[in-house]
Amino acid sequence: LEPAAGGLRAERLADAVEALPADQRCVELLKFARGLPLDAVAARLGCTTSATAGLLRDALACLHEHLESSQQP
């Protein structure tokens, strides 16, 4: 894989994360960028673990959809 391709993928991912609704972006960043367990993310947000899991699921689905559509010609 060429470095330029990796940079393009990182840019697409950053764009996809930026496009998330604020609550989903926050959950995604706390979980994956900061490495917090789901219950700690929930506590920080003042949500139940179940609600936080739903936000994370929705965020991942949106990221997947955004990344898939950005690869279309």
Side-chain angles (χ1 to χ4, degrees):
L1 185 64
E2 295 180 31
L8 183 57
R9 283 194 308 191
E11 185 178 325
R12 285 182 182 155
L13 180 58
D15 289 346
V17 170
E18 187 63 33
L20 289 172
D23 55 351
Q24 292 178 11
R25 185 173 54 249
C26 187
V27 168
E28 191 274 336
L29 291 173
L30 289 172
K31 175 73 175 141
F32 296 112
R34 296 227 177 146
L36 296 178
L38 195 60
D39 59 339
V41 175
R44 276 206 162 167
L45 299 178
C47 297
T48 64
T49 302
S50 169
T52 304
L55 286 170
L56 183 58
R57 182 194 64 240
D58 293 346
L60 293 173
C62 286
L63 288 173
H64 179 77
E65 183 178 317
H66 189 278
L67 292 171
E68 285 290 316
S69 68
S70 71
Q71 290 183 342
Q72 301 298 323

